[in-house]
Amino acid sequence: MIAARFQSRTPALAASLCALALGATACGERSEVWDQSITTAPLVTQGLRGAAAIVDHEAQRALLLPVEGDLKLDPVSIPIGRSFAAAKATLDGNKLLVLCRGDVPRRTSDDQEPALYMIEGSTNPRELGRYTLSDPLSGLGIDPMSSFAVIYPSADDTSFVQNPNELVLVKLDAPASASNPVPVSLRSFGGRPQGFTFTPELALPGGARRLLVVQTDRDVALVDLSAPEKPEITVKLTGGPHALEPSGVAVSDGEPGASDDARIAIRVNNDPNVIVLDLLPVPESKAEESPHSFLPVPNIVYVGGPPTDIAFVRTDGGLRLAALVPSRGVMTLVDPTTGIASDVDLGAPFERISIVTDIVGETTDGSDVALLWSTSSPNVAFVSLGVTVGKPYKSVERLELAEPIASVMDVPAPNGHLKILASPSGGSFVVLNLLSRTAAPLLASTPGARAVPSPEGTRAWMLAESSSSLAQLDLATLHPKNVTLSYVIQDVFDVERRDGGRALIAVHPVGAVGLTVLDAKQPSLDNSLEYLGILLGEF
Amino acid sequence: MTYTRALLVALSVVGMSAFVACGDSANEYGPADGDFSTSGTGSGPGAGGEGGGPPPEEELESSYSAPVATGSFVWIANPTSGRVAYINASTLEINVVEAGNAPTYIAPIPDADEDVAIVLNVLSYDATILRAKGSDLTAQSLPVPSSGNAWAVSDDGRWAIAWTDSRRVEDADPIDGFQDITVLDLKEGASKSTALTVGYRPVAVAFDTAGTRAFAVTQDGITVVSLDSADPAVSKNIKLSDKPVDDATTRDVEITPDGGYALVRREGEPVISVFSLIDGGRTDVALPAPPTDLDLSADGAVAIAVVRETSEVALLPIPAIVTDPSVFPLVKVTDAVVGSTSLAQESPLAFLYTNAVPNSLLTVLDTSVVAPKPHIIQLWAPISAVFPTADAAHAIVLHDTSGGSASEYPAAMSAVPVAIDLPAKITGLDAPPVSVAIAPAGHRALIATGDEQSPSYRLYVASLPSLQIAKYPLASQPIAAGIVAGADRGFVAQKHPDGRITFVDFKTGEVRTLTGFELASQVVDGSGE
């Protein structure tokens, strides 16, 4: 192992390096940064396509860590604002977004404004843009297609007066301008935003577009992302004495080529009804005064019990809303056009659903295949949809596991047919092969273990926060290769190297943050590099 | 009997429901021809009933009521929220308007220019008149001190009367006479409300076609309300019996459209009594045996009295029968038993059958000729009810399959060509029918099936004249079927706490279900901001 040590910027943390640090600034005024403490609780890290990132918010910088071919780090320090609020990477790993609230309260025009900083996540990180915001907000949501970010008030925001329904929508594909970001002030009926869903592009009356679905604690708002300056459409779910709180959303674009059959389904907390919004053309009677070309028409469908998950599925009988009702051990299929419901008896309670048709292939009649799993019973099930005589499905294939499933991780291509299932204890995993319908168990000796599939889909990393042990799981052979590092591991990031290879960056929450860099394809202590005091460098 | 259960379910649903509280839009609110009927409860002895013979005929048609529809809209009241939802059946756009306190009983108002409905707000003792034209809707309130649970509306839409049908009041106290009615003059710009008192426990209210008089059939007789004076007023009461203790619940009363005469049939009595509603004069028409059904032709020119015991049909000419009560055609129907009749709205054809005993023969009689020849149509299951199209070119016949039949179907229906001599088509139903609606154009018929005992909820759509039957599952228990002629769509209102209605497009066959009318009104899209 090769060890590289960086200087410490806080004398109390590394008294032995104090003299070195002072020497570095002996010729002039010492930078303010050296008076800043290092806050690593929590330690904010993100994995990007070509680098790992550590948000060193006390030093108002994001430290990007690209890796050379020889596993040496080439840290890049990118300034961010004061009062760090949140950081998230886009799903593709190409961008890091850092939200800072600036100087709060802002007393003079020289005080820093709140802003969203966008940083490139490649092997050559750089600042891509900065979007100045009018208000210091702390909530950050990112579009899974990386085109938008939404900034919203969170419970941490404590401005003198605050409107919890004021959002800021940032178009990440466009530079900052007078029209970007876009302030969106939701009309409120007493609720405040609780969750955001960016839809895929939907063929809607008036043209294809994407929507932002905002769930509050009592209604749902639809923001047209092609024209966010238009007033949003609000569907009030609470009209009577019973408050209906939306708890989940499913979206369907309907049949290809049709522009009047897109739908949004809304699951409601502890309620046996699902509300389906048919996105229809605005009626002629309202066409002149409505700012929109589509209008959500709600329909209530009864699924027999409170559903824990919903999804739109294709069957040979047409589109259906599938709702998992674990209290009855069934999956209820509802025709959204007629409200007709039929049950698929699952024989066990299942709470979560994932459509895996793209992976396993559709059934002979073009129907979907759904993967179901449970947090309460040790089962997974494959449901092949489509009508056979006397039942609304072709088959239900159940696999019994040793433990219930707490989480399911997708594996990128070329192993998209694999899912990694984690038990609630973190002591065991199952690699589920969707094609062969096999479930290979993996056991961890340390509780609280977790799996991190690599972006290139050929391996997964297993780690536990309280442990310094690490394992590379070859997803082709399911052979685990164990490595023990010097320090406990908080996170690992499998990133692209500058030479085109892959590196694994293990983050150690020790002192001023330590890192171990290994060859991701051939992890070995023989050619790893260990860095300590990483937050002390690159000012 | 299966249909008896269906009848009771339908009656209770229609009577109690917030959605279609007033039931049949034609017979109950004021028929197009001014004719209406009210039969007894069926508890009285029928022809030969006491001697162990067949039970009385059952008037089942009135049970299969249609919900409230106007030219292009379906109107649905929600007593809980105090709102009325109105659905444009062409676009399926749902809107909601505030009414009074507990809007419960709703009725369509005939209007040439607008879609108009009236809803009775039972807790605020008023009525809201709703007028829709295009996307505009206006609401006007009028007091209804009598409250009530039923409406009668004049043909011209000028008058509406709120009254209480005691048969819809559960466990009504015998002291409660329900004698208060409220007459509403709906004339735009001059609308007013007048409270009046009629006889004990009215069972029907109707108007003459001229809109100058209204008639309340009560257990005290027929109370006549004059509408052509400055204020509506009760002008007279015409007793229908010479016996002071006559059982009024076994009477079957028909009033001619012009309001000239009332015809009365009493269970077990071989006579039809004709009363002049002008002077109260009575004429008794003797029949060979007690008639088991009495109906009036659409134009009021002929009363049809069916005598099951002798299988004869008396065609009583109106008003000539008053002048000479012994002169009328008496048509003998051989080879078939007849005890009930159903008449088409725009045709002189009468459909004769019996549902007192298993009978698969349907008799068609042209009441417009002097000596009509019965035409008998062979069907393939016992008949329980007949619903002719307006022009009588076709009829939908419901069958009872419970009488020892080997059929696994709990009920059946036949689509019967009448104008052309072609075979009828019989179709098994998965559950007893609860509502039937026939399109005014006669090209479609809806049959909704399923109740709490038989939860196979279905909508059958019969296409005429092709006799093709399409079957659609329904998401919940149907309450009533109806037609929105202006949209060429049919609909079935269903039980659902948030309101549910299924529309079927007669042109495309597309079915669409709307659930949650109140929710649909809570979409705020920024219009007008």
Side-chain angles (χ1 to χ4, degrees):
Chain A
M1 177 181 292
I2 303 166
R5 295 186 185 276
F6 281 67
Q7 57 186 220
S8 167
R9 72 174 187 248
T10 303
L13 289 177
S16 62
L17 297 176
C18 183
L20 180 61
L22 292 173
T25 57
C27 297
E29 190 72 15
R30 190 180 71 170
S31 168
E32 285 182 7
V33 71
W34 296 104
D35 294 325
Q36 301 294 328
S37 62
I38 294 174
T39 302
T40 58
L43 175 60
V44 180
T45 59
Q46 292 287 333
L48 300 165
R49 180 168 59 80
I54 301 174
V55 178
D56 186 4
H57 38 89
E58 296 290 358
Q60 296 160 39
R61 64 170 180 162
L63 190 61
L64 276 292
L65 303 165
V67 184
E68 302 287 0
D70 59 1
L71 302 183
K72 284 182 180 168
L73 291 174
D74 181 16
V76 178
S77 184
I78 297 177
I80 61 172
R82 287 189 279 276
S83 300
F84 165 78
K88 288 186 177 175
T90 56
L91 197 62
D92 57 13
N94 285 333
K95 292 169 187 159
L96 173 69
L97 299 175
V98 181
L99 177 65
C100 297
R101 303 169 72 231
D103 290 318
V104 181
R106 191 160 176 258
R107 300 178 191 278
T108 71
S109 59
D110 292 335
D111 285 348
Q112 194 180 68
E113 293 176 298
L116 179 71
Y117 299 82
M118 185 164 67
I119 298 166
E120 183 176 321
S122 71
T123 54
N124 293 296
R126 63 191 174 93
E127 180 178 323
L128 289 175
R130 180 181 306 186
Y131 302 94
T132 303
L133 310 171
S134 59
D135 290 302
L137 304 176
S138 299
L140 175 62
I142 298 186
D143 167 23
M145 299 175 76
S146 308
S147 296
F148 295 93
V150 61
I151 298 163
Y152 58 94
S154 79
D156 299 334
D157 294 325
T158 55
S159 293
F160 173 54
V161 175
Q162 191 172 64
N163 178 356
N165 289 288
E166 280 187 346
L167 313 177
V168 178
L169 198 63
V170 183
K171 301 171 190 171
L172 301 178
D173 297 332
S177 67
S179 59
N180 188 28
V182 185
V184 176
S185 190
L186 302 176
R187 76 175 68 78
S188 175
F189 298 93
R192 57 184 299 166
Q194 308 284 317
F196 302 91
T197 303
F198 289 89
T199 73
E201 187 169 82
L202 302 174
L204 297 177
R209 70 201 68 190
R210 301 182 64 203
L211 303 177
L212 171 64
V213 183
V214 183
Q215 297 170 223
T216 78
D217 54 0
R218 65 195 66 189
D219 49 38
V220 167
L222 307 181
V223 177
D224 184 347
L225 291 173
S226 71
E229 68 283 357
K230 287 184 179 178
E232 80 284 0
I233 302 173
T234 307
V235 181
K236 292 189 285 181
L237 304 182
T238 304
H242 304 295
L244 297 180
E245 181 182 359
S247 59
V249 166
V251 179
S252 166
D253 189 29
E255 295 297 322
S259 64
D260 60 355
D261 61 349
R263 291 183 173 90
I264 296 173
I266 302 160
R267 186 163 55 91
V268 180
N269 237 352
N270 295 319
D271 195 280
N273 295 299
V274 176
I275 295 162
V276 178
L277 305 179
D278 294 346
L279 305 180
L280 301 177
V282 172
E284 279 184 23
S285 61
K286 292 182 177 173
E288 282 191 11
E289 60 178 7
S290 174
H292 300 280
S293 57
F294 68 96
L295 183 71
V297 176
N299 246 330
I300 300 172
V301 297
Y302 178 73
V303 298
T308 51
D309 203 358
I310 55 175
F312 282 102
V313 296
R314 284 175 296 145
T315 74
D316 53 353
L319 185 78
R320 296 289 183 269
L321 176 72
L324 287 179
V325 186
S327 60
R328 296 171 53 228
V330 301
M331 179 171 73
T332 301
L333 297 172
V334 186
D335 182 341
T337 304
T338 64
I340 303 294
S342 53
D343 287 342
V344 178
D345 187 2
L346 302 172
F350 288 90
E351 286 98 28
R352 301 298 306 277
I353 184 171
S354 177
I355 306 305
V356 295
T357 314
D358 291 343
I359 299 167
V360 303
E362 61 193 25
T363 62
T364 51
D365 56 24
S367 298
D368 274 330
V369 178
L371 169 68
L372 315 181
W373 70 91
S374 173
T375 58
S376 58
S377 73
N379 290 286
V380 293
F382 296 92
V383 180
S384 296
L385 297 161
V387 176
T388 50
V389 177
K391 55 186 185 180
Y393 59 95
K394 289 197 177 302
S395 66
V396 176
E397 189 177 336
R398 228 169 76 192
L399 288 177
E400 285 206 22
L401 309 174
E403 289 189 69
I405 305 302
S407 62
V408 174
M409 279 146 287
D410 296 334
V411 176
N415 286 314
H417 61 287
L418 301 179
K419 300 273 185 187
I420 301 176
L421 318 180
S423 68
S425 67
S428 68
F429 297 85
V430 170
V431 178
L432 182 68
N433 189 320
L434 301 177
L435 296 176
S436 63
R437 309 262 167 114
T438 56
L442 294 166
L443 300 177
S445 59
T446 305
R450 61 192 170 99
V452 181
S454 74
E456 59 174 6
T458 55
R459 60 192 164 271
W461 300 94
M462 321 287 285
L463 68 152
E465 281 189 22
S466 58
S467 169
S468 59
S469 295
L470 178 71
Q472 182 213 48
L473 179 67
D474 185 325
L475 291 173
T477 64
L478 299 187
H479 170 66
K481 183 175 182 179
N482 288 283
V483 180
T484 300
L485 305 183
S486 303
Y487 305 96
V488 295
I489 304 167
Q490 173 177 302
D491 261 322
V492 294
F493 301 111
D494 191 326
V495 302
E496 184 183 321
R497 295 192 319 228
R498 281 181 172 157
D499 67 346
R502 304 290 303 182
L504 182 80
I505 301 174
V507 180
H508 309 298
V510 292
V513 182
L515 300 174
T516 301
V517 185
L518 302 99
D519 185 320
K521 293 182 179 176
Q522 299 291 336
S524 165
L525 296 178
D526 295 339
N527 60 349
S528 66
L529 281 177
E530 190 178 277
Y531 295 82
L532 293 177
I534 195 74
L535 295 185
L536 299 178
E538 301 311 315
F539 291 109
Chain B
M1 280 179 64
T2 305
Y3 291 119
T4 304
R5 203 165 53 237
L7 165 64
L8 292 173
V9 170
L11 268 178
S12 63
V13 167
V14 169
M16 303 301 290
S17 165
F19 301 113
V20 287
C22 285
D24 188 292
S25 60
N27 289 331
E28 202 130 339
Y29 303 129
D33 58 6
D35 180 17
F36 76 99
S37 70
T38 170
S39 62
T41 59
S43 59
E50 277 189 343
E57 299 290 326
E58 290 185 68
E59 286 270 13
L60 292 177
E61 287 80 356
S62 61
S63 307
Y64 301 100
S65 55
V68 174
T70 55
S72 300
F73 288 88
V74 175
W75 305 80
I76 303 163
N78 185 341
T80 306
S81 70
R83 301 186 185 104
V84 173
Y86 57 106
I87 303 171
N88 184 323
S90 297
T91 63
L92 303 189
E93 179 187 359
I94 302 174
N95 284 289
V96 171
V97 61
E98 296 281 349
N101 197 349
T104 307
Y105 303 103
I106 193 163
I109 305 293
D111 192 289
D113 302 322
E114 300 173 311
D115 284 272
V116 185
I118 188 167
V119 64
L120 180 57
N121 308 305
V122 297
L123 293 184
S124 51
Y125 292 91
D126 58 9
T128 307
I129 303 147
L130 304 164
R131 297 179 184 276
K133 191 167 190 175
S135 59
D136 298 328
L137 183 126
T138 60
Q140 181 194 2
S141 182
L142 283 175
V144 181
S146 66
S147 192
N149 63 11
W151 283 108
V153 180
S154 64
D155 287 354
D156 60 2
R158 163 86 184 269
W159 302 96
I161 294 178
W163 61 285
T164 302
D165 186 343
S166 63
R167 295 168 299 183
R168 293 178 177 175
V169 179
E170 199 173 348
D171 298 328
D173 190 293
I175 298 301
D176 289 331
F178 304 110
Q179 292 174 260
D180 294 322
I181 67 169
T182 303
V183 180
L184 300 181
D185 185 347
L186 304 180
K187 187 177 181 181
E188 283 195 85
S191 56
K192 62 182 178 183
S193 165
T194 306
L196 297 174
T197 300
V198 297
Y200 182 80
R201 293 207 172 176
V203 292
V205 176
F207 297 85
D208 63 16
T209 48
T212 57
R213 286 181 298 161
F215 309 97
V217 181
T218 75
Q219 295 193 30
D220 284 320
I222 296 177
T223 304
V224 180
V225 178
S226 295
L227 302 172
D228 50 2
S229 53
D231 291 310
V234 172
S235 57
K236 64 168 72 82
N237 186 71
I238 298 171
K239 291 185 180 298
L240 299 180
S241 175
D242 298 330
K243 302 173 188 172
V245 291
D246 185 31
D247 184 0
T249 63
T250 62
R251 285 199 295 247
D252 187 355
V253 181
E254 298 285 334
I255 295 178
T256 56
D258 63 1
Y261 298 95
L263 292 89
V264 179
R265 176 185 72 87
R266 295 180 187 82
E267 288 288 348
E269 294 187 14
V271 66
I272 295 291
S273 299
V274 184
F275 291 86
S276 167
L277 294 177
I278 305 298
D279 58 16
R282 171 174 175 167
T283 305
D284 285 339
V285 180
L287 297 176
T292 48
D293 198 9
L294 173 67
D295 269 314
L296 271 170
S297 64
D299 59 3
V302 181
I304 296 99
V306 187
V307 184
R308 188 177 64 206
E309 190 175 324
T310 58
S311 203
E312 288 176 301
V313 181
L315 304 177
L316 312 181
I318 308 293
I321 193 69
V322 176
T323 309
D324 190 347
S326 62
V327 178
F328 58 89
L330 191 61
V331 181
K332 179 78 175 176
V333 179
T334 55
D335 302 326
V337 180
V338 293
S340 292
T341 181
S342 292
L343 301 178
Q345 283 189 345
E346 300 169 1
S347 164
L349 293 189
F351 294 80
L352 304 161
Y353 61 97
T354 181
N355 56 19
V357 295
N359 164 62
S360 303
L361 298 176
L362 176 65
T363 302
V364 182
L365 199 66
D366 187 345
T367 63
S368 64
V369 300
V370 176
K373 183 181 176 186
H375 171 55
I376 295 176
I377 299 173
Q378 169 74 63
L379 301 177
W380 301 104
I383 298 169
S384 61
V386 177
F387 298 86
T389 58
D391 62 359
H394 295 85
I396 297 298
V397 176
L398 300 181
H399 299 290
D400 182 359
T401 58
S402 63
S405 162
S407 172
E408 293 183 355
Y409 292 104
M413 58 164 283
S414 288
V416 183
V418 178
I420 304 174
D421 191 11
L422 292 172
K425 180 178 184 179
I426 189 167
T427 301
L429 303 178
D430 295 335
V434 296
S435 187
V436 174
I438 310 283
H443 66 314
R444 294 288 188 280
L446 304 184
I447 301 93
T449 71
D451 54 27
E452 288 171 359
Q453 288 75 39
S454 304
S456 294
Y457 309 134
R458 306 279 186 271
L459 170 63
Y460 295 83
V461 180
S463 295
L464 306 172
S466 70
L467 308 189
Q468 292 300 302
I469 311 291
K471 181 170 76 171
Y472 304 96
L474 296 174
S476 49
Q477 184 180 333
I479 298 169
I483 308 287
V484 189
D488 204 20
R489 275 192 161 111
F491 64 90
V492 182
Q494 296 153 73
K495 272 190 172 180
H496 191 282
D498 297 298
R500 171 172 284 162
I501 190 167
T502 296
F503 284 92
V504 57
D505 188 323
F506 290 154
K507 287 191 183 73
T508 64
E510 181 191 9
V511 173
R512 189 168 186 86
T513 298
L514 307 175
T515 307
F517 306 139
E518 298 279 330
L519 188 62
S521 71
Q522 299 199 72
V523 176
V524 183
D525 72 346
S527 294
E529 291 183 358

